[in-house]
Amino acid sequence: MNPLEAQLSYPFGDVIPPPGTVTDVAPGLSWLRMPLPFALDHINLWLLDDVAGGRRGWSLVDCGAGTDATRAAWERLFVDAMDNRPLLRVFATHCHPDHVGLSGWLCDRFQAPFWTSTGEFGFARMMAAALPGVDGPSAIPHFQRHGLVDADMLEQMQSRKNYYPSLVPSVPAAYTRLQDGQRVVIGARTWRVITGFGHSPEHVSLYDEQDRILISGDMVLPRISTNVSVFAVEPEGNPLQLYLDSLDKFADLPDDTLVLPAHGKPFRGLFTRIAQLRAHHEARLEEVRAVCTAPRSAVDIVPLMFKRQLDAHQLSFAIGEALAHLHYLWYNGILSRVTGDDGIVRFELT
C-alpha cells in the first residue's frame, strides 16, 4: 500500500473475490473481479438484485473484456453464484474494452437490455466496428505528429489495428439511454446517474443516496490515476480540463460514501482521494511547465511523467496523457504551440 492509499479506509480489508466468485458488499449488491490481459490485470464488476416483468434476477454493472478467461469465469458464476437467476439488465459505465467487452455476449445470452449513455454507446459501436478515425491505423499519424519517430514502436502500434475488436467482439445493437441526474431503480435501490468526461466520452457513475454507495467506474480509483488522453479522433481536445471539472460533480456526496471503483479495492474517503487526484495533476502540470522553457513534443514529455519502460499499449496511453497536460496548459495560455518543419508539434512557454 502506497502512502496515498494509506490515507483511505478499506472496509473489506484485503478481501478480493477470486474470478468466478462473488463477495457481498451491501444487501443485494455483490462484487466480482475479472482478469484482464494487460498490466492493469483486473476489473471489478457489480451484481445487483433486480426485478423486472415479474421475474427476479440480477442487473450487472460492467462486463469484463472479451477473453476466454473472462467467459470461463462467467460460466462458473452462472452455475455457482447466480442461483439460476437471469441477468435482467446490463449496465456499462463506459466504452473501454474491460467494461463493454462481453456486453453483446451477455445481452444475447439473457435477452437483457443494454443501459449506458449515448456517448459511450456510440463510441463502443464505432470502435468495435474499427471505423476509420477510431481504428488502430488512424492513431499512427497522430503519434507521429506528436513526436514518435521510433520505427520499431510505430510498427508495433500498427500491428494493434484490431486491438479493440479483439476484446469487444460485439456491442448490443440497441440501448437504453442513461443521462446525468436521472434516477434508476434497480431492485430495492434507487441510483442517481452522474456523468463525467475526460476519461471517456460520457462516463456513467451511479450513486445510491440512501446507503451512500457510489459505483464510480474509472472516474475515481483508489490506487492509480485515471488515464486522461488526447486521442486521434479528437486531436484538439482538452480532456484534462473536462476530467478535473467532472470531479466537482461528486462534491455533494458525503465523505463517508462507500466507493466501489472499477480497479482496486472498495474504499471510503472520497474527498481525500479527489484531493489526491487534483494534487497529482497539479504536480504533473508544474513538471511539464518547468521543462517547456524549450520546445517540447508530447513524446519528449513522456519520460518525465512515466519513469519506467513502456510497451506499445502503455506508450499509446502515455503519449495521450502527456498531450492532455500540454493541451491543458496551452488552452490556459501558459504554453504556445508550433508545428516544425519536420511536422512535429511542440509546445513552449508563452
Side-chain angles (χ1 to χ4, degrees), residues 285 289 292 328-336 348-350:
L285 287 165
R289 189 204 64 78
C292 284
Y328 179 95
L329 295 169
W330 172 53
Y331 274 105
N332 282 280
I334 297 167
L335 301 181
S336 58
E348 188 175 13
L349 285 176
T350 301

Side-chain angles (χ1 to χ4, degrees), residues 39-96:
L40 186 58
D41 63 0
H42 72 275
I43 178 172
N44 299 322
L45 314 179
W46 310 98
L47 200 60
L48 296 86
D49 278 336
D50 202 2
V51 177
R55 294 189 304 159
R56 186 164 175 237
W58 307 96
S59 277
L60 173 68
V61 180
D62 289 333
C63 305
T67 65
D68 290 342
T70 304
R71 287 187 187 88
W74 270 117
E75 294 291 354
R76 292 195 296 275
L77 282 162
F78 298 149
V79 172
D80 297 332
M82 292 175 60
D83 300 327
N84 293 314
R85 291 159 50 194
L87 283 180
L88 301 175
R89 287 182 281 183
V90 175
F91 291 78
T93 58
H94 62 295
C95 64
H96 293 163

Side-chain angles (χ1 to χ4, degrees), residues 299-322:
V299 168
D300 293 332
I301 298 298
V302 167
L304 178 73
M305 297 180 65
F306 300 90
K307 305 181 189 303
R308 64 185 189 278
Q309 192 71 28
L310 302 174
D311 60 25
H313 173 78
Q314 295 163 339
L315 182 61
S316 65
F317 288 102
I319 295 173
E321 182 123 0

Side-chain angles (χ1 to χ4, degrees), residues 37-38 65-68 71 97 101-102 127-130 159-170:
F38 33 79
T67 65
D68 290 342
R71 287 187 187 88
L102 287 180
M127 290 189 289
S159 69
R160 299 175 70 247
K161 59 185 177 181
N162 292 318
Y163 174 75
Y164 189 96
S166 73
L167 295 175
V168 187
S170 67

Side-chain angles (χ1 to χ4, degrees), residues 215-288:
I215 298 177
S216 65
D218 279 355
M219 287 300 292
V220 183
L221 304 174
R223 180 178 176 85
I224 60 175
S225 60
T226 300
N227 178 260
V228 179
S229 285
V230 176
F231 292 110
V233 71
E234 192 182 358
E236 299 297 305
N238 188 8
L240 181 55
Q241 184 72 66
L242 293 173
Y243 177 72
L244 294 174
D245 290 347
S246 294
L247 292 178
D248 290 338
K249 299 176 80 170
F250 300 106
D252 65 335
L253 275 58
D255 192 39
D256 66 349
T257 293
L258 175 62
V259 183
L260 306 181
H263 309 283
K265 296 182 294 186
F267 70 94
R268 287 192 171 91
L270 176 62
F271 293 164
T272 297
R273 184 55 184 150
I274 288 175
Q276 292 173 355
L277 290 167
R278 291 190 182 281
H280 165 80
H281 286 294
E282 288 170 3
R284 298 294 82 74
L285 287 165
E286 178 54 31
E287 289 176 346
V288 172

Side-chain angles (χ1 to χ4, degrees), residues 125-166:
R125 295 277 294 177
M126 288 163 59
M127 290 189 289
L131 295 182
V134 295
D135 61 339
S138 298
I140 301 305
H142 176 68
F143 292 138
Q144 291 175 312
R145 183 170 181 252
H146 290 287
L148 186 60
V149 296
D150 185 308
D152 289 341
M153 189 59 72
L154 286 167
E155 178 62 30
Q156 291 180 48
M157 289 184 171
Q158 181 74 30
S159 69
R160 299 175 70 247
K161 59 185 177 181
N162 292 318
Y163 174 75
Y164 189 96
S166 73

